[in-house]
């Protein structure tokens, strides 16, 4: 073998190892790699040459410490192609826990409304995600500048600067966001009502919660929409997994059956928890994005639905439920381009401990984990008695991750204190503001922490039966159910009313 052949062989091994080691981190704390709204893959149908170009804005590192004069460059994009009248509105899409992608300034429901209302549109990337890197690395000391309050202050400073730069000082501004950015959209209107005239908060988990056991309850209910057998068969498969964990031979069988990268250590409670969580994640990620219209992004796995999973789980020709469970795991590995499932707790922790911007953790996994440990919780545990995925990933497993990845100070008490502060700061389910609309889908597990009933006459919920996470934000499709079509119209009607009301007030002045 030549030196070149040896080098190529080494490169291939690195590539295979990297793909394998990322398997268990593809879906963590309800967050897919790249963020809640996804990132276009190679082969996207949108012409990248026609996307808005990146712009940069000088932002303060700490908005709440006047003695700290450090600044950094925050990335943003804009599209003024629909802006034909100088008094047209401004639509601001808020970036979240992943790289901001300018594709959202070319397609999607916000851009459809931008065309209808003649809006100038912006997309602001969230600090510490994507290319918006305020500090030299992601060390614990630097991540103290990563929180929702600093992000909201970023939005405020950005809005003031852009209004001056593009002569938009007298225009009406509306914010848009989905998932965590949906919460930011609502909180932006709450905290800075003089800067934003209305907010669309899609699939927004506005209530922080340590033990988010309802997540798996909704996953279970969503699987149950196909009939009772699917959930029953998942439970039977889980029982079989737990039974096999009682012996070395059983652990070996699980290693082979579920294509684990390393032999499963049945006596390592954290490895077992990681393994069980990964298997439940195969279902959770499909439920969370069931039948959405993310194909325009080049998103992977959009052809796999709740029905796909349940058809496999109910197919007796495959064999016992455990074999059907394993087939779903193999399908998901193939779909996401990995050749084995890395359920090593140590591997996960080591990856998320890396503070370098050049590491795989910098795509958002480390940052989002930090925010859950300091502000939100959102831990999707197995503590509910209503779900079929066993009891192998309880709350203490998630708290242990915070302590191992960051600092032992992140115990349950301190995490809960941070969550309490978040809910006190923003109001949780009782958010007291105006001109906010909260779209949520019944299939989406995150709706359990969102607004699904009107808070006030001007803070209204749009609960969409049968849809998943942020479904209303994606481009319309001929296959969209009537209730989704109606929800998008309701959002547009709110925008029209808000903009008309502000115009009347301006004329009166």
């Amino acid at each position: 073998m030549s030196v070149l052949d040896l080098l190529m062989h080494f490169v291939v091994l690195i590539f295979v190892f990297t793909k394998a080691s990322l398997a268990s981190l593809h879906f963590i704390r309800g967050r897919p790699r790249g963020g809640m709204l996804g990132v276009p893959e190679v082969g996207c149908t949108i012409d990248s040459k026609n996307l808005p170009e990146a712009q940069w804005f000088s932002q303060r590192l700490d908005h709440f410490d006047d003695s700290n004069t450090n600044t950094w460059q925050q990335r943003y994009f804009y599209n003024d192609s629909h802006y034909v009248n100088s008094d047209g509105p401004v639509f601001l899409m808020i970036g979240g826990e992943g790289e901001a992608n300018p594709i959202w300034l070319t397609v999607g429901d916000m851009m459809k409304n931008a065309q209808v209302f003649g809006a100038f549109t912006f997309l602001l990337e969230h600090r510490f995600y994507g290319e918006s890197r305020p500090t030299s690395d992601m060390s614990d000391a630097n991540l103290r500048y990563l929180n929702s309050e600093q992000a909201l202050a970023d939005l405020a400073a950005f809005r003031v600067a852009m209004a001056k730069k593009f002569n938009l000082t007298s225009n009406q501004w509306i914010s848009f966001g989905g998932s965590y950015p949906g919460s930011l959209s609502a909180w932006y209107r709450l905290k800075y009502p003089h800067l934003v005239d209305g907010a669309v908060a899609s699939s927004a988990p506005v209530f922080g919660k340590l033990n988010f056991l309802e997540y798996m309850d909704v996953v279970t209910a969503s699987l149950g929409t196909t009939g009772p057998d699917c959930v029953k068969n998942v439970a039977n498969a889980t029982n079989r997994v737990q039974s096999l964990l009682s012996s070395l031979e059983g652990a070996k069988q699980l290693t082979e059956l579920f294509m684990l990268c390393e032999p499963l250590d049945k006596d390592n409670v954290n490895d077992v928890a990681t393994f069980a969580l990964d298997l439940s994640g195969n279902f959770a990620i499909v439920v969370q994005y069931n039948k959405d219209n993310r194909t325009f992004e080049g998103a992977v796995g959009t052809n796999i639905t709740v029905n796909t999973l349940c058809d496999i789980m109910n197919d007796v020709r495959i064999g016992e439920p455990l074999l059907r469970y394993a087939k779903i795991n193999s399908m998901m590995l193939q779909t996401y381009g990995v050749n084995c499932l890395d359920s090593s707790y140590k591997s996960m922790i080591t990856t998320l401990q890396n503070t370098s911007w050049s590491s795989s953790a910098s795509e958002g996994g480390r940052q989002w984990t930090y925010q859950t440990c300091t502000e939100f919780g959102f831990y999707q545990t197995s503590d509910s008695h209503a779900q079929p995925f066993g009891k192998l990933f309880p709350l203490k497993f998630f708290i242990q991750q915070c302590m191992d990845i960051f600092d032992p100070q992140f115990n349950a008490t301190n995490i809960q204190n941070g969550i309490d502060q978040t809910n006190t700061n923003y109001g949780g389910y009782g958010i007291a503001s105006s001109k906010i609309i909260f779209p949520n889908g019944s299939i989406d597990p995150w709706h359990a922490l969102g607004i699904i009933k009107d808070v006030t006459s001007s803070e209204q919920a749009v609960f969409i039966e049968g849809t998943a996470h942020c479904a209303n934000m994606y481009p319309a499709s001929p296959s969209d159910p009537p209730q989704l079509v109606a929800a998008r119209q309701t959002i547009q009607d709110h925008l029209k009313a808000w903009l008309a009301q502000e115009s009347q007030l301006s004329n009166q002045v």
Side-chain angles (χ1 to χ4, degrees):
M1 182 179 289
S2 68
V3 174
L4 179 60
D5 289 335
L6 283 170
L7 179 60
M8 289 303 295
H9 181 66
F10 180 66
V11 170
V12 169
L13 285 176
I14 291 177
F15 178 67
V16 169
F17 174 75
T18 301
K19 290 181 74 179
S21 64
L22 294 178
S24 64
L25 295 179
H26 182 79
F27 192 64
I28 182 169
R29 290 171 172 79
R31 176 191 179 275
R33 287 184 60 80
M36 299 291 191
L37 289 180
V39 176
E41 304 286 346
V42 176
C44 177
T45 57
I46 301 297
D47 184 359
S48 61
K49 296 180 180 179
N50 293 327
L51 295 177
E53 296 182 358
Q55 311 291 325
W56 300 91
F57 170 66
S58 184
Q59 188 69 267
R60 290 184 59 181
L61 177 62
D62 190 342
H63 293 279
F64 308 108
D65 181 1
D66 291 338
S67 68
N68 188 335
T69 59
N70 292 334
T71 60
W72 57 283
Q73 296 299 301
Q74 187 169 21
R75 188 168 64 160
Y76 72 95
F77 305 87
Y78 74 90
N79 181 353
D80 61 356
S81 62
H82 300 307
Y83 185 67
V84 292
N85 296 316
S86 60
D87 61 348
V90 182
F91 289 173
L92 170 59
M93 176 167 278
I94 301 171
E97 68 304 317
E99 183 174 5
N101 199 296
I103 197 171
W104 286 103
L105 293 187
T106 62
V107 294
D109 195 57
M110 185 188 81
M111 293 310 298
K112 177 183 176 181
N113 284 313
Q115 186 174 13
V116 170
F117 295 105
F120 194 117
T121 57
F122 288 101
L123 168 60
L124 181 64
E125 190 168 63
H126 196 294
R127 57 169 54 205
F128 283 93
Y129 292 98
E131 297 299 320
S132 295
R133 301 170 178 177
T135 55
S136 60
D137 61 21
M138 301 178 293
S139 65
D140 291 14
N142 285 334
L143 287 180
R144 73 180 186 272
Y145 298 111
L146 170 60
N147 56 64
S148 58
E149 289 183 279
Q150 294 283 4
L152 293 173
D154 286 343
L155 288 166
F158 175 79
R159 184 259 193 252
V160 171
M162 293 301 107
K164 293 178 180 177
K165 179 176 181 177
F166 292 98
N167 193 25
L168 301 168
T169 55
S170 61
N171 302 69
Q172 301 161 69
W173 288 65
I174 306 292
S175 62
F176 294 77
S179 197
Y180 164 52
S183 299
L184 291 176
S185 183
W187 297 337
Y188 183 38
R189 170 64 182 162
L190 172 71
K191 293 292 187 177
Y192 299 91
H194 58 295
L195 297 179
V196 61
D197 301 289
V200 180
S202 300
S203 298
V206 297
F207 184 74
K209 188 172 184 182
L210 183 65
N211 194 344
F212 185 17
L213 49 81
E214 295 90 348
Y215 185 96
M216 286 302 175
D217 287 348
V218 179
V219 170
T220 303
S222 299
L223 296 174
T225 61
T226 66
D229 290 344
C230 185
V231 173
K232 180 181 69 176
N233 287 325
V234 171
N236 288 338
T238 301
N239 290 336
R240 183 73 173 123
V241 167
Q242 294 178 150
S243 175
L244 289 171
L245 285 170
S246 63
S247 68
L248 289 174
E249 185 59 35
K252 181 180 178 181
Q253 185 177 341
L254 291 173
T255 298
E256 296 172 353
L257 196 57
F258 289 94
M259 303 173 65
L260 299 188
C261 301
E262 299 177 3
L264 179 61
D265 183 354
K266 71 179 184 64
D267 297 319
N268 186 320
V269 65
N270 287 327
D271 280 357
V272 170
T274 305
F275 171 60
L277 182 61
D278 287 342
L279 298 187
S280 72
N282 288 335
F283 290 78
I285 192 171
V286 172
V287 169
Q288 186 165 306
Y289 295 100
N290 187 55
K291 296 182 180 179
D292 64 20
N293 297 332
R294 288 178 300 138
T295 305
F296 81 96
E297 295 179 301
V300 175
T302 56
N303 61 314
I304 301 175
T305 67
V306 168
N307 291 94
T308 306
L309 299 181
C310 287
D311 284 347
I312 294 174
M313 287 307 303
N314 295 339
D315 191 348
V316 295
R317 296 171 298 178
I318 298 173
E320 64 170 306
L322 179 66
L323 298 179
R324 306 171 208 171
Y325 209 40
K327 182 170 182 178
I328 285 175
N329 183 66
S330 299
M331 176 182 66
M332 297 300 285
L333 289 177
Q334 182 178 7
T335 297
Y336 290 102
V338 291
N339 45 17
C340 64
L341 180 65
D342 186 357
S343 289
S344 163
Y345 179 76
K346 181 179 179 180
S347 175
M348 177 182 67
I349 297 301
T350 299
T351 297
L352 293 177
Q353 284 176 332
N354 197 321
T355 65
S356 171
W357 285 116
S358 62
S359 69
S360 62
S362 71
E363 64 79 33
R366 175 174 170 83
Q367 303 95 302
W368 180 240
T369 300
Y370 179 82
Q371 288 195 264
T372 66
C373 294
T374 56
E375 294 189 86
F376 308 126
F378 295 158
Y379 301 132
Q380 296 130 39
T381 72
S382 60
D383 291 341
S384 169
H385 298 291
Q387 54 83 25
F389 299 103
K391 303 294 181 184
L392 298 176
F393 44 101
L395 177 61
K396 64 180 180 180
F397 169 65
F398 294 90
I399 294 172
Q400 188 64 50
Q401 291 175 49
C402 291
M403 298 173 69
D404 290 342
I405 295 169
F406 301 108
D407 191 284
Q409 69 173 332
F410 286 114
N411 55 42
T413 299
N414 288 334
I415 297 172
Q416 185 62 61
N417 288 340
I419 296 168
D420 291 343
Q421 174 60 30
T422 296
N423 291 331
T424 299
N425 194 16
Y426 303 126
Y429 293 124
I431 181 172
S433 185
S434 64
K435 296 180 186 175
I436 307 176
I437 187 169
F438 296 93
N440 275 285
S442 66
I443 297 293
D444 177 21
W446 287 100
H447 85 251
L449 297 182
I451 304 295
I452 59 175
K453 294 182 180 179
D454 293 352
V455 180
T456 66
S457 61
S458 61
E459 295 175 285
Q460 295 185 324
V462 179
F463 194 60
I464 316 168
E465 288 291 342
T467 63
H469 200 59
C470 299
N472 59 282
M473 296 182 68
Y474 296 109
S477 167
S479 62
D480 287 338
Q483 58 271 28
L484 178 55
V485 175
R488 290 197 178 106
Q489 184 60 53
T490 298
I491 294 169
Q492 187 177 108
D493 291 343
H494 275 75
L495 295 174
K496 183 177 181 180
W498 294 341
L499 296 173
Q501 183 178 1
E502 291 297 326
S503 296
Q504 291 172 4
L505 291 174
S506 297
N507 292 335
Q508 291 173 5
V509 174

